[in-house]
Amino acid sequence: MGKRGSLPLVAMRWMIVSEWRTYPSRTVIAVLAIALGVALGFAVHLINGSALSEFDHAIQTVSGDADLQVHATSAAGFSEALYPQLARVPGIAKVSPVVELHAQAQGHVALTILGLDVLNAAVVTPRLLGRRSDGRRDPSDFFSDSAIFLSAAAMQASGRRVGQSIDITSMGHSASFRIIGDLPGIPAGQAIGVMDIAAAQWRFGQLGKLQRLDFRLAPSADRAQLSSALALRLPLGAEIVTRHNEETRSDSLSRAYRVNLDMLALMALLTGGFLVYSAQSLSVARRRPQFALIRVLGLERRSLVAQIFLEALVVGAVGALAGLLLGLGLAAAALHLLGSDLGGGYFSGGVPHLSFAPGAAFAFGALGVAASLVGGLLPARDAARSQPALALKNLGDAIDPRVRPRIRLALLFVVLGAAGSLAPAVNGLPIFGYASMALLLAGGIAMMPWLARTLLWIFLRRPISNVSLSLAIQRLWGAPSQAALALSGIVASTSLMIAMAVMVVSFRGSVEAWLYQVLPADLYLALDDSGVGGGFDAVTQNNMRHVEGVAWMGFMKETPLRLAPDKPDVWLIARTVDGPAGGLPLLSPGLAVPPNDIPVWVSEPAAGIYGIHPGDHLVLPIAGVTPRVFVAGIWRDYGRQQGSIVIDSDTYTRLTGDARRSIASVALKKGALADAVITRLRAVLPAGVADHLSVSRSQEIRSKGIAAFDRSFAITYLLEAIPILVGLIGVAATVSAQTLARIKEFGMLRHIGVLRRQIVAMLIAEGALLGAIGGIAGIGLGLAMSQILIRVVNPQSFHWTMDTRIPWLLFAIVIIALIIAAGGTALFAGRRALSTAAVTAVREDW
Amino acid sequence: MLTVTSLCKAVPGGRVLFQDLNLTVGKGQFVAITGESGVGKSTLLNLLAGLDRADAGSVVIGGIALEPLQDDALTRLRRDRIGFVFQAFHVLPHLDLAHNVALPLVLQKVDAHEALAKAAGMLEAIGLGGRGADYPRQLSGGELQRVAIARALIHRPGLILADEPTGNLDPETAAKVMALFVDQVREAGASVVLVTHSPVSAAVADRVLHLTRDGLVEHG
C-alpha cells in the first residue's frame, strides 16, 4: 500500500516552488528579515573582534614578546634592587629592566615611554629597539640622555619628525628630546617612545625605581615553577604578569560592552525570526484548503510538516548567507569609515584590520537558520493538525469565536522569565538576564490573542452604531489569533526598542543626576600630568585657597592601583571627604568606622568586580605601603568602569608622604567672576605649572560627560532602529496578506449592500486597533524587559545601577506611529483587495 | 470493492445522521446517493474516504478495514486506492494543468517525467490536449471539473468518490461533464460512489440510493 519512510520530494518541490513563484515578495521579505538580523550581529561581532585583536596585538607589542614580566602594581614602581636579585634565579636566561611611564608629548599627545637597557632588551624584547633615521642600528645612540625613538603614530600625533625636538612631560617632570629614529617593530596606531633607561630614570624622577622587568627564560625552564619561584621573591608593590593575564585584563575591560552589543544585534535577529513566524503562519493559513486537498490526495502529515520546515530552512539558509556577506561588507565599511570604536571608548585610535572569524560566521549563520526554523515550527504544527474535510469546505479552524485564547503557556514563559532574572551572572556575563528577556518576549507574544480579546471586550459591552467600526471590532474579537499573528513581529521589535529606550533614558538621567552630585563646585582645575610626584604641592594648595573670590576648594589625586594581575587597575582617589567639597553619592548610609581603622569608600564597579561589601577589610598596595583599610560604604561612580576607591586626602598624605594633588575644585563666592578668579589662581601657581593647567567649568564637564554618554550609545540607537524597521515591514506584509486573503469576504459584504467606503473604513479601523493593541502590548512588555536590563543586565555586566525613568513622550509617539502604520497599510491593501469585482471574488475557489 | 456495515454517525450536538447504515459497491459498479440537504451525504462520503471517523460500524475498501488504521495509513490508502472529484473542483491555482493532474502520481513517488507524460495523455483524453501549461484561472468551470476528473483517475484507483461534481455547472456543461466522467470511469473499471442532488447525474448510475434518516433506500 504505497512506500513508507521516504518523503515525496517531487510533490513537495512542486508545492514549494509554485508558492514562491506566485508570492515572491513575501518570501523575499522573510529572507531579508533574517539577512538583516544576521548581518547586524555578525558585523558588530567582527568589528569588536577586530578591535580586540588589534588591542591584544598592541599589548603584545608593548610587552615585546617577553616570556614573563614583573610589573609594579602602582605608578610608584618598585626598587631597582629587585632586578639583580631576580636575575640570579635559576632558569632565567636574561632580564631586561624597564621604566614604563605614561607621558604627554607637546602638551597634548598621550604616549607610553619605555626606558630600556638596550643590551638586555636586544635579547629579551628586540622588537622594542629603535632604528636610526639613516637606517643604521647603532646601539650607542641608545645611551644618550636626550635622544628618543618614536613610533610612527607618536610622530604623527605630535606633528614631529625625525631630527626635530619634542617636549615630553611625565611624573611631574618635563624634558626636551631629539628624535633620532623610529620604532619599526611597533605597529600602526601605537604611540610609543623608547629611550635609554638611565635617561628615563633621571629625566622623569625615577632614580632607583623600575616599573617592569622583562624575562627571557632558559629553553629548559619550567614557566609555572619559575613564576612561583619569582613570586616568592617579590616585594609588595610588584607582581608576576603573563601575557594571558594582560590579555585577560584588557579583554575584561571591554568584554561586557562587546557582549551587550552582540546581544543587542541578536535582538534584530530575534525580530527577524518573529517576522518569519508571521509570514509562515499567514502562508499556512492562506494555503489551508490547498494543504487539505493534498492531504486528501494522499500526502502524509509528516510530509506536510517537512514541506513547511523545508520552506523555512531555505528561507533561513538564503537569509543567513546573504546576512553573512552583508555583515562582512558592513564591518569592513564601518572599520574603514568610523574606526573600531563603536562609541564605548575602549578601542579609540588606530584603524584595525578586519579579522574574519569563521567560527563566528558559522554561529551567526546557524542562528539565522535556527530563527527561521523556529519561526516555522508553530505554523507547521498548525498545518499538520488541520482537519482536511473542514478545511476543504473553507470553514477551517481559522476562526471560531467560541474558542477562548489560551494563556497557560504564555504565563509559564513569563514565570520562567521572571525566575531567570533572579539568577546570578555566568563568568561575569548576564546570560540568564538575556534568557529571561527572551522568555518574557515569548510569553508576551503568546499572550497576544488573550490581550487583544481582553482589550476589545471593552468595546463590546455596548452596541456600536457605526457599521465599519462594529465589523472591525467583531472581526478582531472573533479572530484574536489572526490579530496576534499580524502583531507578533511589531510587538517583538517595539518591546525591544522600548526596553532599550527606558534603560538608556534611565541611565542618562542617572548619569546627569550623578554629575551634579559629584561636581558641586563651579570650576575644576587639572594638571596634565598626574601620578606620584606630580601636582599642586601643599604650599600652592594653601595659596590657592586664599585667592580672592574663592569660597572653598577641594583637592584630589587619582592614581592607578592593581589589585589583581588579571583585572584592570582600579583608581585610587585621594580627596576631601568632609565639608562642601566632600560628599560622595553613597548607595546606602555609610557605616560607622571602627577605631583605628582607615575608612575607604569603594565604587559600585569595584565592589562588583572584586566582590567587596561594606564592612569588609582590604589591603591596598599604595606607593610602597600596604595599609589595611575598612570599607565604609559603596558609592555610585559612572566615570570609572574598572572601579575606584576613595581615601581621605589627609590619610593618603600620612600613609605615603605625598601631599601633591593634581585636581582642584573651586567654588566661587557670590558675585565673584569666574574669569577673574581663574586669572588670580594662575598667578599663585609656581613657574611652569600654569602651562600644564586646564580649567573647566562644571557645566562644560557635565555637557561633555553627557555627550560622551550619547556617543557611546549611538550604536545602540542604530541597533534599536533596525528591529523597528523590520517590525514595521512585518506588520505591513502581514496586514496586507491577511487583507488580500479576505477578498471573498469583501465580495459578500458588497453583495449584501455594504458600501465600498464602509469596507475601507472597516479596514482602517482594524488596522488602527491592531496598531493600538500592538503599541500597548509592546510598551507593557518593553517596560518589563527594561527592568531586567536595569536591575540585572547592567549590574551584572558593568556593575552599575540606575534609577528608572519613564519616557512618556516616546510611548505616545510609538503608539501613534503604530496606529498610523498599521491603519495605513490596511487602507492600501484594502484598496487593492476591493479593486477585484465582487462577483468574481465570490465565484473564485480560493 | 466497498463494503459498509452497520455504520452509525451523530454530529456534535447529538443529532444522529444515520444509524446502522449498510452499503455494498461491487467492482466497477456506479452508485449514486441522493438525499435532502443536511441529511449527511457529504458526511457519508468523508467516512468512506477515511476523513472522518464513524461512531460505530465498519468501512472496508478493497478488503482493507478503515477503523483500525491511523491517520498516515488512511492517507496512504486514499493516495493509492481512491480518487476524488469535488463540487468546488479544488484544482491548485499555482500549478499548471499538467502538474495538477500528475499530482497523485508524484505523491506515489512515480518519476516526475513519467507522471507528466501520463498527465498529458489524460488531458488529451478529456479534451484538453496541449493545454498542460495553462493555469486554472484560464479555464472555465466545466474545463476545471474535467481537469479534476483527470486527476482523480490518473493513478487508476479502484474507487472514485464524487461529491456533487456538477453542482457548480450549468445544465448543458453538467451533462457534458457527466458524460465524460462516466466514460472515463468505465474505461478505468473503477467503482464510483456519487453524491448528487441532480436527477440527471443520478440517472447515469447503475444503482441510485436515497439517503434518509432511516438509512439508504434503493430507488427503482
Side-chain angles (χ1 to χ4, degrees), chain B residues 175-196:
Chain B
K176 288 179 183 172
V177 166
M178 274 310 298
L180 174 73
F181 180 58
V182 170
D183 283 343
Q184 292 297 317
V185 298
R186 296 286 188 213
E187 191 183 323
S191 307
V192 179
V193 175
L194 168 76
V195 160
T196 183

Short mmCIF file of all heavy atoms in Angstrom, two decimals, chain B residues 175-196:
data_model
loop_
_atom_site.label_atom_id
_atom_site.label_comp_id
_atom_site.label_asym_id
_atom_site.label_seq_id
_atom_site.Cartn_x
_atom_site.Cartn_y
_atom_site.Cartn_z
N ALA B 175 -24.09 18.17 -18.13
CA ALA B 175 -24.36 16.93 -18.88
C ALA B 175 -23.11 16.45 -19.59
O ALA B 175 -22.78 15.25 -19.59
CB ALA B 175 -25.50 17.18 -19.88
N LYS B 176 -22.37 17.41 -20.18
CA LYS B 176 -21.14 17.02 -20.90
C LYS B 176 -20.12 16.46 -19.94
O LYS B 176 -19.45 15.46 -20.23
CB LYS B 176 -20.57 18.23 -21.63
CG LYS B 176 -21.38 18.67 -22.85
CD LYS B 176 -20.75 19.89 -23.50
CE LYS B 176 -21.60 20.38 -24.66
NZ LYS B 176 -21.13 21.68 -25.19
N VAL B 177 -20.00 17.12 -18.81
CA VAL B 177 -19.00 16.66 -17.83
C VAL B 177 -19.37 15.29 -17.30
O VAL B 177 -18.51 14.41 -17.15
CB VAL B 177 -18.88 17.69 -16.67
CG1 VAL B 177 -18.12 17.10 -15.49
CG2 VAL B 177 -18.21 18.96 -17.17
N MET B 178 -20.63 15.07 -17.02
CA MET B 178 -21.05 13.75 -16.52
C MET B 178 -20.79 12.69 -17.54
O MET B 178 -20.36 11.57 -17.22
CB MET B 178 -22.53 13.78 -16.15
CG MET B 178 -22.82 14.26 -14.75
SD MET B 178 -21.83 13.45 -13.45
CE MET B 178 -22.34 11.77 -13.62
N ALA B 179 -21.05 13.01 -18.80
CA ALA B 179 -20.81 12.02 -19.85
C ALA B 179 -19.34 11.65 -19.90
O ALA B 179 -18.98 10.46 -20.00
CB ALA B 179 -21.28 12.57 -21.20
N LEU B 180 -18.51 12.65 -19.83
CA LEU B 180 -17.06 12.40 -19.83
C LEU B 180 -16.67 11.58 -18.60
O LEU B 180 -15.88 10.63 -18.70
CB LEU B 180 -16.31 13.74 -19.83
CG LEU B 180 -14.80 13.63 -19.69
CD1 LEU B 180 -14.18 13.12 -20.96
CD2 LEU B 180 -14.19 14.97 -19.32
N PHE B 181 -17.21 11.95 -17.46
CA PHE B 181 -16.91 11.26 -16.21
C PHE B 181 -17.26 9.78 -16.33
O PHE B 181 -16.45 8.91 -15.98
CB PHE B 181 -17.70 11.94 -15.08
CG PHE B 181 -17.49 11.33 -13.72
CD1 PHE B 181 -16.22 11.25 -13.15
CD2 PHE B 181 -18.56 10.82 -12.99
CE1 PHE B 181 -16.03 10.71 -11.89
CE2 PHE B 181 -18.37 10.28 -11.73
CZ PHE B 181 -17.11 10.22 -11.18
N VAL B 182 -18.45 9.50 -16.83
CA VAL B 182 -18.89 8.12 -16.94
C VAL B 182 -17.98 7.34 -17.89
O VAL B 182 -17.56 6.22 -17.59
CB VAL B 182 -20.37 8.06 -17.41
CG1 VAL B 182 -20.76 6.64 -17.75
CG2 VAL B 182 -21.28 8.63 -16.34
N ASP B 183 -17.63 7.96 -19.02
CA ASP B 183 -16.74 7.30 -19.98
C ASP B 183 -15.41 6.93 -19.34
O ASP B 183 -14.92 5.81 -19.50
CB ASP B 183 -16.47 8.22 -21.18
CG ASP B 183 -17.65 8.26 -22.13
OD1 ASP B 183 -18.51 7.36 -22.04
OD2 ASP B 183 -17.71 9.19 -22.97
N GLN B 184 -14.88 7.88 -18.63
CA GLN B 184 -13.55 7.67 -18.07
C GLN B 184 -13.55 6.60 -16.98
O GLN B 184 -12.65 5.76 -16.92
CB GLN B 184 -12.99 9.00 -17.51
CG GLN B 184 -12.67 10.02 -18.58
CD GLN B 184 -11.57 9.55 -19.51
OE1 GLN B 184 -10.57 8.99 -19.07
NE2 GLN B 184 -11.78 9.74 -20.80
N VAL B 185 -14.57 6.63 -16.13
CA VAL B 185 -14.57 5.63 -15.04
C VAL B 185 -14.86 4.24 -15.58
O VAL B 185 -14.34 3.24 -15.09
CB VAL B 185 -15.55 6.00 -13.90
CG1 VAL B 185 -15.15 7.31 -13.27
CG2 VAL B 185 -16.98 6.05 -14.37
N ARG B 186 -15.71 4.18 -16.63
CA ARG B 186 -15.99 2.86 -17.22
C ARG B 186 -14.72 2.32 -17.83
O ARG B 186 -14.39 1.14 -17.68
CB ARG B 186 -17.08 2.99 -18.30
CG ARG B 186 -18.45 3.42 -17.80
CD ARG B 186 -19.18 2.33 -17.06
NE ARG B 186 -20.55 2.75 -16.77
CZ ARG B 186 -21.23 2.39 -15.69
NH1 ARG B 186 -20.66 1.62 -14.79
NH2 ARG B 186 -22.46 2.81 -15.52
N GLU B 187 -14.00 3.20 -18.50
CA GLU B 187 -12.77 2.77 -19.15
C GLU B 187 -11.76 2.30 -18.12
O GLU B 187 -11.02 1.34 -18.32
CB GLU B 187 -12.19 3.92 -19.98
CG GLU B 187 -11.05 3.49 -20.89
CD GLU B 187 -10.46 4.67 -21.65
OE1 GLU B 187 -11.23 5.57 -22.06
OE2 GLU B 187 -9.24 4.70 -21.81
N ALA B 188 -11.74 2.99 -16.97
CA ALA B 188 -10.79 2.63 -15.91
C ALA B 188 -11.24 1.42 -15.11
O ALA B 188 -10.46 0.82 -14.37
CB ALA B 188 -10.58 3.83 -14.99
N GLY B 189 -12.52 1.11 -15.22
CA GLY B 189 -13.04 -0.01 -14.45
C GLY B 189 -13.17 0.29 -12.97
O GLY B 189 -13.18 -0.63 -12.15
N ALA B 190 -13.27 1.56 -12.64
CA ALA B 190 -13.34 1.94 -11.22
C ALA B 190 -14.77 1.86 -10.72
O ALA B 190 -15.72 2.06 -11.46
CB ALA B 190 -12.80 3.36 -11.04
N SER B 191 -14.88 1.60 -9.41
CA SER B 191 -16.18 1.72 -8.75
C SER B 191 -16.40 3.17 -8.40
O SER B 191 -15.45 3.91 -8.16
CB SER B 191 -16.23 0.87 -7.48
OG SER B 191 -15.86 -0.45 -7.76
N VAL B 192 -17.67 3.60 -8.39
CA VAL B 192 -17.97 5.02 -8.13
C VAL B 192 -19.06 5.14 -7.09
O VAL B 192 -20.06 4.42 -7.15
CB VAL B 192 -18.41 5.74 -9.42
CG1 VAL B 192 -18.75 7.21 -9.12
CG2 VAL B 192 -17.33 5.66 -10.48
N VAL B 193 -18.85 6.05 -6.12
CA VAL B 193 -19.94 6.49 -5.25
C VAL B 193 -20.12 7.97 -5.52
O VAL B 193 -19.21 8.77 -5.26
CB VAL B 193 -19.62 6.24 -3.76
CG1 VAL B 193 -20.73 6.82 -2.89
CG2 VAL B 193 -19.44 4.76 -3.49
N LEU B 194 -21.27 8.32 -6.06
CA LEU B 194 -21.54 9.70 -6.48
C LEU B 194 -22.63 10.27 -5.59
O LEU B 194 -23.70 9.70 -5.47
CB LEU B 194 -21.97 9.72 -7.94
CG LEU B 194 -22.57 11.04 -8.45
CD1 LEU B 194 -21.45 12.05 -8.68
CD2 LEU B 194 -23.33 10.82 -9.76
N VAL B 195 -22.34 11.39 -4.94
CA VAL B 195 -23.37 12.09 -4.15
C VAL B 195 -23.88 13.23 -5.01
O VAL B 195 -23.08 14.03 -5.53
CB VAL B 195 -22.74 12.60 -2.83
CG1 VAL B 195 -23.57 13.71 -2.22
CG2 VAL B 195 -22.57 11.45 -1.86
N THR B 196 -25.19 13.34 -5.15
CA THR B 196 -25.71 14.37 -6.04
C THR B 196 -27.15 14.73 -5.70
O THR B 196 -27.90 13.92 -5.14
CB THR B 196 -25.63 13.90 -7.50
OG1 THR B 196 -26.08 14.97 -8.35
CG2 THR B 196 -26.49 12.68 -7.74
#
